[in-house]
Amino acid sequence: MKTCLIVDDSRMIRRVAGRIVKDLGFETEDAENGEEALDKCRIELPDAVLLDWKMPVMDGFAFLKALRKLPNGDKPTVVFCTSERDINHIVDALSAGANEYIMKPFDSDIIESKFALAGLV
């Protein structure tokens, strides 16, 4: 079964996104900031990462750059899921290695379509 790491400082977002991703056939794990997520990735890389941008300790952008430097860190498909709407943020995220970008608020159709575009489902 494919795995997805959901990284967001909001417990509610992690819970809602987790239900949606589980319905898509993934096992899920979550982290409340980039540092915690990076620690989990050092142990075992997920197939996918659903990633928020603004978080305490380590934000999503810093996490993405660090993830891509890990051995096989290019393998997980990273989908930013954030309220950041500035085009420069989107360009920066995609340039740093994000595969897709979702704007909050999201629903199951949006996540499913972005995961499909990224080749996850």
Side-chain angles (χ1 to χ4, degrees), residues 8 24 49 51 101:
D8 199 296
L24 295 175
V49 179
L51 180 63
Y101 201 96

Side-chain angles (χ1 to χ4, degrees), residues 1-2 15 24 32 34 37 39 41 46 49 51 56 68 90 106-107:
M1 181 176 277
K2 289 185 180 179
R15 188 175 299 140
L24 295 175
E32 63 182 59
D39 288 344
C41 288
V49 179
L51 180 63
R68 294 305 192 211
I90 297 169
F106 60 84
D107 61 20

Side-chain angles (χ1 to χ4, degrees), residues 2 14 19 29 35 39-40 45 56 63 67 69 71 77 82 84 86 88 92 94 96-97 108-109:
K2 289 185 180 179
R14 292 193 311 268
R19 274 192 230 120
E29 192 167 355
E35 185 176 287
D39 288 344
K40 291 181 181 205
L45 289 171
F63 163 80
L67 170 69
K69 291 178 183 176
T77 299
T82 180
E84 287 294 336
D86 185 302
N88 293 323
D92 289 346
L94 296 173
S108 59
D109 291 338

Side-chain angles (χ1 to χ4, degrees), residues 70-83:
L70 292 177
N72 294 314
D74 60 327
K75 300 285 189 249
T77 299
V78 176
V79 179
F80 260 103
C81 181
T82 180
S83 56

Side-chain angles (χ1 to χ4, degrees), residues 2 77-79 99-100 112-121:
K2 289 185 180 179
T77 299
V78 176
V79 179
N99 301 88
E100 285 293 336
E112 183 174 9
S113 70
K114 290 295 186 172
F115 272 40
L117 284 172
L120 289 166
V121 293

